[in-house]
Amino acid sequence: MIKFLDLQKVNSLYANELKNVAAQIIDEGWFLNGKWNEKFADNLKEYIGCEYVIPCGNGLDALRLIFRAYKEMGIMKDGDEVIVPANTYIATVLAITDNNLVPVFVDPDEDSYNINLEKIESFITSRTKAIAIVHLYGQVCWSHKLKELKEKYGLKIVEDNAQSIGAKWNGVHTGNLGDAAGFSFYPGKNLGALGDSGAITTNDEKLAHIVKALANYGSVIRYVHDYKGLNSRMDEIQAAFLSIKLKRIDERNHIRKLIAKRYMDEIQNPYITLPKIVKGDIDSHVFHLFVIRTPYREQLQNYLKQKGIETLIHYPTPVHKQSCYREYATTSCKLSECIQKEILSLPISSVMEEDEVEIVINVINQFKP
Ligand SMILES: *Cc1c(COP(=O)(O)O)cnc(C)c1O
């Protein structure tokens, strides 16, 4: 059986270090808002190259906190619009609607699956305050066009960097391209904790200050509450685990890229469309997911299952078609709706063996609908 992702194997690489530091923290007896959070924030700051890192409880909170802070700063208010890709994980959209902001869905570019940068401008209105970009599947979503739009219309650019830690655009890390970024360290992400956690990165001092307070009950000084905040903290144990795993993120991402390259070079089947590295530059994609397309998706997924290969669909239903967002049910995002019927995520991870990659390639090449 070739698993989609073997988390036990992923973490076994660090088992001794993780166990040692967990034991140390149990002995120290200090579990929140401590030195391990500070250390991880410093390490991530250095890695990303940004000015401020604020650890928090999870990726959704990271994004929620950014929009909440912009509201506290008076930059956004209830009813303002945020442009968002139609094909993303629901968290990106929840972070917007949770703050009484209005998501404006834009279809993707067919080659990258990322928001179609050429189409954004036609969706900008007098109420648009931000563009939420998602570096989906691990591929950078960026162009000079975004900077132009930001300046022309006075917008904020918020990055959802949950899937793309380590990816770069002309040497600049994702998470350091826009005005602020939300990271997720959900266990299955390229940099995964052993539980929930997330972080915000930014170069905006004021935003960083407010986000940090908001994540801690709206308080900077204990028992003094400047904002109606929330409780979104990273456990000290998770912060320590993440510092250990962050040291090897480039090496682990490199293995994903090698697997992706083999898939792209060796999967040859007329019924299957392979993903593209749009920028043609391997630094721009960290292959959190390797997503192929075929009109015979159900058939292919069943065939692979019979051959012992586990696959998943990211994501089976577009956000605007979810029942919780019925107010957007009539929104037309034709390309997202079509892509969602055809996509299939193949196994890819930093612990996949070469013979497993070989089997996936051979089995897929033999597929006939
Ligand atoms: C995982 C993910 C999130 C949310 O992260 P959590 O830590 O699970 O809250 C947000 N956006 C995208 C694109 C994701 O893949």
Side-chain angles (χ1 to χ4, degrees), residues 40-54 135 159 161 164-169 171-178 180-183 185 191 199-203 246 249-250 253:
F40 175 65
D42 282 346
N43 293 338
L44 187 63
K45 201 165 78 177
E46 193 182 330
Y47 180 75
I48 298 294
C50 61
E51 294 284 330
Y52 305 95
V53 170
I54 302 99
H135 308 293
E159 297 176 70
N161 200 35
S164 47
I165 185 166
K168 287 183 200 167
W169 174 269
V172 181
H173 272 275
T174 56
N176 201 18
L177 290 163
F183 288 61
F185 307 115
L191 177 64
I200 296 98
T201 57
T202 183
N203 294 316
L246 179 63
I249 185 69
D250 286 341
N253 278 342

CSV table of all heavy atoms in Angstrom, one decimal, residues 40-54 135 159 161 164-169 171-178 180-183 185 191 199-203 246 249-250 253:
chain,number,residue,atom,x,y,z
A,40,PHE,N,11.3,30.1,18.2
A,40,PHE,CA,10.7,29.7,16.9
A,40,PHE,C,10.4,30.9,16.0
A,40,PHE,O,10.7,31.0,14.8
A,40,PHE,CB,9.5,28.8,17.0
A,40,PHE,CG,8.8,28.6,15.7
A,40,PHE,CD1,9.5,27.8,14.7
A,40,PHE,CD2,7.6,29.1,15.4
A,40,PHE,CE1,8.9,27.6,13.5
A,40,PHE,CE2,7.0,28.9,14.1
A,40,PHE,CZ,7.7,28.1,13.2
A,41,ALA,N,9.9,32.0,16.7
A,41,ALA,CA,9.6,33.2,15.9
A,41,ALA,C,10.9,33.8,15.3
A,41,ALA,O,10.9,34.2,14.1
A,41,ALA,CB,8.9,34.2,16.8
A,42,ASP,N,12.0,33.8,16.1
A,42,ASP,CA,13.3,34.2,15.5
A,42,ASP,C,13.8,33.4,14.4
A,42,ASP,O,14.2,33.9,13.4
A,42,ASP,CB,14.3,34.2,16.7
A,42,ASP,CG,14.2,35.4,17.6
A,42,ASP,OD1,13.5,36.4,17.2
A,42,ASP,OD2,14.8,35.4,18.7
A,43,ASN,N,13.6,32.1,14.6
A,43,ASN,CA,14.1,31.1,13.5
A,43,ASN,C,13.3,31.3,12.2
A,43,ASN,O,13.9,31.3,11.1
A,43,ASN,CB,14.0,29.7,14.0
A,43,ASN,CG,14.9,29.3,15.1
A,43,ASN,OD1,15.9,30.0,15.3
A,43,ASN,ND2,14.6,28.3,15.9
A,44,LEU,N,12.0,31.5,12.4
A,44,LEU,CA,11.2,31.6,11.2
A,44,LEU,C,11.4,33.0,10.5
A,44,LEU,O,11.4,33.1,9.3
A,44,LEU,CB,9.7,31.5,11.5
A,44,LEU,CG,8.7,31.4,10.3
A,44,LEU,CD1,9.0,30.2,9.4
A,44,LEU,CD2,7.2,31.4,10.8
A,45,LYS,N,11.6,34.0,11.3
A,45,LYS,CA,11.9,35.3,10.8
A,45,LYS,C,13.2,35.3,10.0
A,45,LYS,O,13.2,35.8,8.9
A,45,LYS,CB,12.2,36.2,12.1
A,45,LYS,CG,12.0,37.7,11.8
A,45,LYS,CD,11.9,38.5,13.1
A,45,LYS,CE,13.2,38.7,13.7
A,45,LYS,NZ,13.2,39.5,15.0
A,46,GLU,N,14.2,34.6,10.5
A,46,GLU,CA,15.4,34.5,9.8
A,46,GLU,C,15.2,33.7,8.5
A,46,GLU,O,15.8,34.1,7.4
A,46,GLU,CB,16.5,33.8,10.6
A,46,GLU,CG,17.9,34.0,10.1
A,46,GLU,CD,18.9,33.2,10.9
A,46,GLU,OE1,18.7,33.1,12.2
A,46,GLU,OE2,19.9,32.7,10.4
A,47,TYR,N,14.5,32.7,8.5
A,47,TYR,CA,14.3,31.8,7.3
A,47,TYR,C,13.5,32.6,6.3
A,47,TYR,O,13.9,32.6,5.1
A,47,TYR,CB,13.5,30.6,7.7
A,47,TYR,CG,13.3,29.6,6.6
A,47,TYR,CD1,14.3,28.9,6.0
A,47,TYR,CD2,12.0,29.6,6.0
A,47,TYR,CE1,14.1,28.1,4.9
A,47,TYR,CE2,11.8,28.7,4.9
A,47,TYR,CZ,12.8,28.0,4.4
A,47,TYR,OH,12.6,27.2,3.3
A,48,ILE,N,12.4,33.3,6.7
A,48,ILE,CA,11.6,34.0,5.7
A,48,ILE,C,12.2,35.3,5.2
A,48,ILE,O,12.1,35.7,4.1
A,48,ILE,CB,10.2,34.2,6.3
A,48,ILE,CG1,9.5,32.9,6.6
A,48,ILE,CG2,9.3,35.1,5.3
A,48,ILE,CD1,9.1,32.0,5.4
A,49,GLY,N,13.0,35.9,6.1
A,49,GLY,CA,13.6,37.2,5.8
A,49,GLY,C,12.7,38.4,6.1
A,49,GLY,O,12.9,39.4,5.5
A,50,CYS,N,11.7,38.2,7.0
A,50,CYS,CA,10.8,39.3,7.3
A,50,CYS,C,11.1,39.9,8.6
A,50,CYS,O,12.0,39.4,9.3
A,50,CYS,CB,9.4,38.8,7.3
A,50,CYS,SG,9.1,37.5,8.6
A,51,GLU,N,10.4,41.0,9.0
A,51,GLU,CA,10.7,41.7,10.2
A,51,GLU,C,10.0,41.1,11.4
A,51,GLU,O,10.6,41.1,12.5
A,51,GLU,CB,10.2,43.2,10.1
A,51,GLU,CG,11.0,44.0,9.0
A,51,GLU,CD,12.4,44.4,9.5
A,51,GLU,OE1,12.5,44.6,10.8
A,51,GLU,OE2,13.3,44.6,8.7
A,52,TYR,N,8.8,40.6,11.3
A,52,TYR,CA,8.0,40.2,12.4
A,52,TYR,C,7.4,38.8,12.2
A,52,TYR,O,6.8,38.6,11.1
A,52,TYR,CB,6.9,41.2,12.7
A,52,TYR,CG,7.4,42.6,12.9
A,52,TYR,CD1,7.4,43.5,11.9
A,52,TYR,CD2,8.0,43.0,14.2
A,52,TYR,CE1,7.9,44.8,12.1
A,52,TYR,CE2,8.5,44.2,14.3
A,52,TYR,CZ,8.5,45.2,13.3
A,52,TYR,OH,9.0,46.4,13.5
A,53,VAL,N,7.4,38.0,13.2
A,53,VAL,CA,6.7,36.7,13.2
A,53,VAL,C,5.9,36.6,14.5
A,53,VAL,O,6.4,36.8,15.5
A,53,VAL,CB,7.7,35.5,13.1
A,53,VAL,CG1,6.9,34.2,13.3
A,53,VAL,CG2,8.4,35.5,11.8
A,54,ILE,N,4.6,36.3,14.3
A,54,ILE,CA,3.7,36.1,15.5
A,54,ILE,C,3.2,34.7,15.4
A,54,ILE,O,2.4,34.4,14.6
A,54,ILE,CB,2.6,37.1,15.6
A,54,ILE,CG1,3.1,38.6,15.6
A,54,ILE,CG2,1.7,36.9,16.8
A,54,ILE,CD1,3.1,39.2,14.2
A,135,HIS,N,-1.0,30.6,-2.3
A,135,HIS,CA,0.1,29.9,-3.1
A,135,HIS,C,-0.3,28.4,-3.1
A,135,HIS,O,0.2,27.6,-2.4
A,135,HIS,CB,1.4,30.1,-2.5
A,135,HIS,CG,1.8,31.5,-2.2
A,135,HIS,ND1,2.0,32.4,-3.3
A,135,HIS,CD2,2.0,32.2,-1.1
A,135,HIS,CE1,2.3,33.6,-2.7
A,135,HIS,NE2,2.3,33.5,-1.4
A,159,GLU,N,-1.2,37.1,2.0
A,159,GLU,CA,-0.9,35.8,1.5
A,159,GLU,C,-1.4,34.7,2.4
A,159,GLU,O,-1.1,34.7,3.6
A,159,GLU,CB,0.7,35.7,1.4
A,159,GLU,CG,1.4,36.6,0.5
A,159,GLU,CD,2.9,36.4,0.7
A,159,GLU,OE1,3.4,35.4,0.2
A,159,GLU,OE2,3.5,37.3,1.3
A,161,ASN,N,-0.2,31.4,3.1
A,161,ASN,CA,1.1,30.6,2.8
A,161,ASN,C,1.0,29.2,3.5
A,161,ASN,O,2.0,28.6,3.8
A,161,ASN,CB,2.3,31.4,3.4
A,161,ASN,CG,3.6,31.0,2.7
A,161,ASN,OD1,3.6,30.6,1.6
A,161,ASN,ND2,4.6,31.0,3.5
A,164,SER,N,2.9,26.5,1.3
A,164,SER,CA,4.0,26.9,0.4
A,164,SER,C,5.3,27.3,1.1
A,164,SER,O,6.1,28.0,0.5
A,164,SER,CB,3.6,27.9,-0.6
A,164,SER,OG,2.9,29.0,0.1
A,165,ILE,N,5.4,27.0,2.4
A,165,ILE,CA,6.7,27.4,3.1
A,165,ILE,C,7.9,26.9,2.3
A,165,ILE,O,8.0,25.7,1.9
A,165,ILE,CB,6.7,27.0,4.5
A,165,ILE,CG1,7.9,27.6,5.2
A,165,ILE,CG2,6.7,25.5,4.7
A,165,ILE,CD1,7.9,27.6,6.7
A,166,GLY,N,8.8,27.8,2.0
A,166,GLY,CA,10.0,27.5,1.3
A,166,GLY,C,10.0,27.9,-0.2
A,166,GLY,O,11.1,27.9,-0.8
A,167,ALA,N,8.8,28.2,-0.7
A,167,ALA,CA,8.8,28.6,-2.1
A,167,ALA,C,9.3,30.0,-2.2
A,167,ALA,O,9.2,30.8,-1.3
A,167,ALA,CB,7.4,28.5,-2.6
A,168,LYS,N,9.9,30.3,-3.4
A,168,LYS,CA,10.4,31.7,-3.6
A,168,LYS,C,10.1,32.3,-4.9
A,168,LYS,O,9.9,31.5,-5.9
A,168,LYS,CB,12.0,31.6,-3.5
A,168,LYS,CG,12.5,31.4,-2.2
A,168,LYS,CD,14.1,31.4,-2.3
A,168,LYS,CE,14.7,30.7,-1.2
A,168,LYS,NZ,16.2,30.4,-1.5
A,169,TRP,N,10.0,33.6,-4.9
A,169,TRP,CA,9.8,34.4,-6.2
A,169,TRP,C,11.0,35.3,-6.4
A,169,TRP,O,11.2,36.2,-5.5
A,169,TRP,CB,8.5,35.2,-6.1
A,169,TRP,CG,8.3,36.1,-7.3
A,169,TRP,CD1,8.7,37.4,-7.4
A,169,TRP,CD2,7.6,35.7,-8.5
A,169,TRP,NE1,8.3,37.9,-8.7
A,169,TRP,CE2,7.7,36.9,-9.4
A,169,TRP,CE3,7.0,34.6,-9.0
A,169,TRP,CZ2,7.1,36.9,-10.6
A,169,TRP,CZ3,6.5,34.6,-10.3
A,169,TRP,CH2,6.5,35.7,-11.1
A,171,GLY,N,14.0,34.9,-5.5
A,171,GLY,CA,14.8,34.9,-4.3
A,171,GLY,C,14.0,35.3,-3.0
A,171,GLY,O,14.6,35.2,-2.0
A,172,VAL,N,12.8,35.8,-3.2
A,172,VAL,CA,12.0,36.3,-2.0
A,172,VAL,C,11.1,35.1,-1.6
A,172,VAL,O,10.3,34.6,-2.4
A,172,VAL,CB,11.2,37.5,-2.3
A,172,VAL,CG1,10.5,38.0,-1.0
A,172,VAL,CG2,12.2,38.6,-2.8
A,173,HIS,N,11.1,34.8,-0.3
A,173,HIS,CA,10.2,33.7,0.2
A,173,HIS,C,8.7,34.1,0.1
A,173,HIS,O,8.4,35.3,0.4
A,173,HIS,CB,10.5,33.4,1.6
A,173,HIS,CG,11.6,32.4,1.8
A,173,HIS,ND1,11.4,31.0,1.7
A,173,HIS,CD2,13.0,32.5,1.9
A,173,HIS,CE1,12.5,30.4,1.9
A,173,HIS,NE2,13.5,31.2,2.0
A,174,THR,N,7.8,33.2,-0.2
A,174,THR,CA,6.4,33.4,0.1
A,174,THR,C,6.3,33.7,1.6
A,174,THR,O,7.0,33.1,2.4
A,174,THR,CB,5.6,32.2,-0.3
A,174,THR,OG1,6.0,31.0,0.4
A,174,THR,CG2,5.6,31.9,-1.8
A,175,GLY,N,5.4,34.6,1.9
A,175,GLY,CA,5.3,35.0,3.3
A,175,GLY,C,6.0,36.3,3.5
A,175,GLY,O,5.9,36.9,4.6
A,176,ASN,N,6.7,36.7,2.4
A,176,ASN,CA,7.4,38.0,2.5
A,176,ASN,C,7.2,38.8,1.2
A,176,ASN,O,8.0,39.7,0.9
A,176,ASN,CB,8.9,37.7,2.7
A,176,ASN,CG,9.7,38.9,3.3
A,176,ASN,OD1,9.0,39.8,3.9
A,176,ASN,ND2,11.0,39.0,3.2
A,177,LEU,N,6.1,38.4,0.5
A,177,LEU,CA,5.9,39.1,-0.8
A,177,LEU,C,4.8,40.2,-0.6
A,177,LEU,O,4.9,41.3,-1.2
A,177,LEU,CB,5.4,38.1,-1.8
A,177,LEU,CG,6.5,37.1,-2.3
A,177,LEU,CD1,5.8,35.9,-3.0
A,177,LEU,CD2,7.4,37.7,-3.3
A,178,GLY,N,3.8,39.8,0.2
A,178,GLY,CA,2.6,40.8,0.3
A,178,GLY,C,2.8,41.6,1.6
A,178,GLY,O,3.9,41.8,2.1
A,180,ALA,N,1.1,40.9,4.5
A,180,ALA,CA,1.1,40.0,5.7
A,180,ALA,C,0.7,38.7,5.2
A,180,ALA,O,0.1,38.5,4.1
A,180,ALA,CB,0.0,40.5,6.7
A,181,ALA,N,1.1,37.6,5.9
A,181,ALA,CA,0.9,36.3,5.5
A,181,ALA,C,0.5,35.4,6.7
A,181,ALA,O,0.9,35.6,7.8
A,181,ALA,CB,2.1,35.7,4.8
A,182,GLY,N,-0.4,34.4,6.4
A,182,GLY,CA,-0.7,33.4,7.4
A,182,GLY,C,-0.1,32.1,7.0
A,182,GLY,O,-0.2,31.7,5.8
A,183,PHE,N,0.5,31.4,8.0
A,183,PHE,CA,1.1,30.1,7.8
A,183,PHE,C,0.3,29.1,8.6
A,183,PHE,O,-0.2,29.4,9.7
A,183,PHE,CB,2.5,30.1,8.4
A,183,PHE,CG,3.6,30.8,7.6
A,183,PHE,CD1,3.4,32.2,7.4
A,183,PHE,CD2,4.7,30.2,7.1
A,183,PHE,CE1,4.4,32.9,6.7
A,183,PHE,CE2,5.6,30.8,6.4
A,183,PHE,CZ,5.5,32.2,6.2
A,185,PHE,N,0.8,25.2,10.4
A,185,PHE,CA,1.7,24.1,10.6
A,185,PHE,C,0.9,22.8,11.0
A,185,PHE,O,1.4,22.0,11.8
A,185,PHE,CB,2.8,24.5,11.7
A,185,PHE,CG,3.5,25.8,11.4
A,185,PHE,CD1,3.3,26.9,12.2
A,185,PHE,CD2,4.3,25.9,10.3
A,185,PHE,CE1,3.9,28.1,11.9
A,185,PHE,CE2,4.9,27.1,10.0
A,185,PHE,CZ,4.8,28.2,10.8
A,191,LEU,N,5.8,22.0,6.5
A,191,LEU,CA,6.4,22.1,7.9
A,191,LEU,C,5.2,21.8,8.9
A,191,LEU,O,4.4,22.7,9.0
A,191,LEU,CB,7.0,23.5,8.1
A,191,LEU,CG,7.6,23.7,9.5
A,191,LEU,CD1,8.7,22.8,9.8
A,191,LEU,CD2,8.0,25.2,9.7
A,199,ALA,N,1.2,30.8,12.2
A,199,ALA,CA,2.0,32.0,12.4
A,199,ALA,C,1.6,33.1,11.4
A,199,ALA,O,1.1,32.8,10.3
A,199,ALA,CB,3.5,31.7,12.3
A,200,ILE,N,1.9,34.3,11.8
A,200,ILE,CA,1.7,35.5,10.9
A,200,ILE,C,3.1,36.1,10.7
A,200,ILE,O,3.8,36.2,11.6
A,200,ILE,CB,0.8,36.5,11.6
A,200,ILE,CG1,-0.6,36.0,11.8
A,200,ILE,CG2,0.7,37.8,10.7
A,200,ILE,CD1,-0.9,35.5,13.2
A,201,THR,N,3.3,36.4,9.4
A,201,THR,CA,4.6,37.1,9.1
A,201,THR,C,4.2,38.5,8.5
A,201,THR,O,3.2,38.6,7.7
A,201,THR,CB,5.5,36.4,8.1
A,201,THR,OG1,4.7,36.1,6.9
A,201,THR,CG2,6.0,35.1,8.7
A,202,THR,N,5.0,39.5,8.7
A,202,THR,CA,4.7,40.8,8.1
A,202,THR,C,6.0,41.7,8.4
A,202,THR,O,6.9,41.4,9.2
A,202,THR,CB,3.5,41.5,8.8
A,202,THR,OG1,3.3,42.7,8.1
A,202,THR,CG2,3.7,41.7,10.3
A,203,ASN,N,6.0,42.8,7.6
A,203,ASN,CA,7.1,43.8,7.8
A,203,ASN,C,6.4,45.1,8.4
A,203,ASN,O,7.1,46.1,8.5
A,203,ASN,CB,7.8,44.1,6.5
A,203,ASN,CG,8.6,42.9,6.0
A,203,ASN,OD1,9.3,42.2,6.8
A,203,ASN,ND2,8.5,42.6,4.7
A,246,LEU,N,12.1,23.0,11.3
A,246,LEU,CA,12.4,24.1,10.3
A,246,LEU,C,13.9,24.0,9.8
A,246,LEU,O,14.1,24.4,8.7
A,246,LEU,CB,12.2,25.4,11.0
A,246,LEU,CG,12.5,26.7,10.2
A,246,LEU,CD1,11.6,26.8,9.0
A,246,LEU,CD2,12.3,28.0,11.1
A,249,ILE,N,13.9,22.1,6.6
A,249,ILE,CA,12.8,22.3,5.6
A,249,ILE,C,13.2,22.3,4.2
A,249,ILE,O,12.6,21.7,3.3
A,249,ILE,CB,11.9,23.5,5.9
A,249,ILE,CG1,10.7,23.6,5.0
A,249,ILE,CG2,12.7,24.8,5.9
A,249,ILE,CD1,9.6,22.6,5.2
A,250,ASP,N,14.4,23.0,3.9
A,250,ASP,CA,14.8,23.0,2.5
A,250,ASP,C,15.2,21.7,2.0
A,250,ASP,O,14.9,21.3,0.8
A,250,ASP,CB,16.0,24.0,2.4
A,250,ASP,CG,15.6,25.5,2.5
A,250,ASP,OD1,14.4,25.7,2.3
A,250,ASP,OD2,16.5,26.3,2.7
A,253,ASN,N,11.9,19.8,1.4
A,253,ASN,CA,11.2,20.3,0.2
A,253,ASN,C,12.0,19.8,-1.1
A,253,ASN,O,11.3,19.6,-2.1
A,253,ASN,CB,11.2,21.8,0.2
A,253,ASN,CG,10.0,22.3,1.0
A,253,ASN,OD1,9.0,21.6,1.3
A,253,ASN,ND2,10.0,23.6,1.4
